[in-house]
Amino acid sequence: MSSRRVVSAGGVSVEPGILDHGVHALNTVSAIGDIDPTTLAQSSRPRHCGVRKIDHVAMAAHDADASSQWFEEVLGLQRIHDEVVEDVGVRLLWLAPRDATARAGETSFQIVQPLGPGAISDFLALKGEGLHHVCFGVDNAEDFLRSRGQMGGIFTGGYGLPCAFLKAVPEGLAVEIVQREHPAS
């Protein structure tokens, strides 16, 4: 049985084992199969499989409430979503500018707090608090990964949306994709 507790929005069950398939990839950068990343970058891709927007930038923190305080007080951001994903062992706290919360699809700032041992606690032990990943919105996660020679790794992330971490990224930057609804035809 999957356990997922959403504080500010209705949730969808998280698939068991997503920590191993998705978030763990943050600390393990590897090549995409036998495909040279340069060749992959130059290949033609269907437009519908591209990035639509920067979804969020995330930092890892030991205490999401303490970390959010500075962003709220100094930058004037406000909390827009607070979610505990027990199967992954994280708390996800989203912040955004006060005027952005009324408009759906705005770029946000996410604080990821570990609830116990796992990839986020390992990251914090190794690198300390700070930038964790950048997430880009795509129309279809499976099509996006397939068009880049990557299969698997899709997990249910925040807001119950399909997500994946890319395997081959520049300079070891963790890059996540999140599936967004298809635009109206």
Side-chain angles (χ1 to χ4, degrees), residues 40-145:
L40 186 60
Q42 296 170 349
S43 67
S44 61
R45 297 185 186 108
R47 287 184 156 211
H48 67 280
C49 289
V51 167
R52 292 285 182 188
K53 64 174 263 178
I54 297 172
D55 189 80
H56 64 268
V57 175
M59 73 173 280
H62 295 287
D63 181 340
D65 290 315
S67 293
S68 72
Q69 185 175 356
W70 185 88
F71 294 97
E72 292 173 86
E73 292 175 4
V74 175
L75 298 181
L77 299 181
Q78 71 176 5
R79 295 176 186 208
I80 59 170
H81 188 70
D82 190 344
E83 178 175 3
V84 171
V85 185
E86 292 176 2
D87 287 349
V88 182
V90 297
R91 174 183 177 200
L92 305 174
L93 177 61
W94 278 271
L95 302 160
R98 293 188 188 283
D99 65 345
T101 57
R103 296 187 305 270
E106 291 291 325
T107 300
S108 59
F109 182 73
Q110 181 189 75
I111 301 174
V112 183
Q113 173 188 325
L115 299 177
I120 303 304
S121 354
D122 293 347
F123 176 91
L124 287 167
L126 181 65
K127 298 184 178 184
E129 293 184 305
L131 180 64
H132 189 256
H133 67 271
V134 178
C135 181
F136 296 92
V138 299
D139 287 336
N140 185 297
E142 188 175 330
D143 289 348
F144 182 89
L145 293 173

